[in-house]
Amino acid sequence: GYGGRLFNESGIDPVKHQQLGRVYARAIQGVLLSHAYNDTTKELGMRYDLDPTVGGPTEIYANPAWHGDSKGEFDIRITPAAAVVVTQDPAGRRILLAAADGAVAQTVD
């Protein structure tokens, strides 16, 4: 289950809900090679083979209230930086990584 006692007499316990929240990839524009979330640092490490022929972007779920900075934004580090265009969408609780114009198939960290 949920690690015990997610619900209290009022509904969902917000502290437990936040503790169980994870940043994760919902969709990959290519092939996922590795994916690891560190719940202590609240960091997601991800590596994938980018395939620019895939029609949609890589989409990462991230709740800005739990994982973002005071403005609800995220520190995002991509290698190689020019491979993708990053769009932060705090209201939609997501980060989009779309192949940049002219991008070729390559491994993205």
Side-chain angles (χ1 to χ4, degrees):
Y2 295 105
R5 307 209 189 269
L6 175 61
F7 296 93
N8 60 27
E9 57 280 345
S10 302
I12 294 177
D13 179 339
V15 173
K16 285 285 188 186
H17 194 209
Q18 182 174 354
Q19 290 171 342
L20 294 169
R22 300 282 187 264
V23 177
Y24 63 92
R26 290 192 235 195
I28 304 292
Q29 189 177 15
V31 177
L32 182 65
L33 301 173
S34 65
H35 186 283
Y37 178 73
N38 182 321
D39 61 350
T40 302
T41 63
K42 309 271 190 256
E43 292 179 337
L44 171 67
M46 189 174 85
R47 181 175 218 193
Y48 66 102
D49 283 338
L50 175 66
D51 181 352
T53 65
V54 172
T58 293
E59 181 177 338
I60 299 168
Y61 168 83
N63 187 322
W66 299 345
H67 306 109
D69 64 16
S70 61
K71 295 179 184 176
E73 296 179 350
F74 305 92
D75 178 25
I76 301 168
R77 296 178 296 269
I78 305 287
T79 305
V84 298
V85 175
V86 177
T87 303
Q88 295 192 43
D89 178 13
R93 297 181 178 178
R94 63 187 187 157
I95 301 165
L96 302 175
L97 310 173
D101 287 342
V104 297
Q106 60 192 294
T107 299
V108 176
D109 290 308

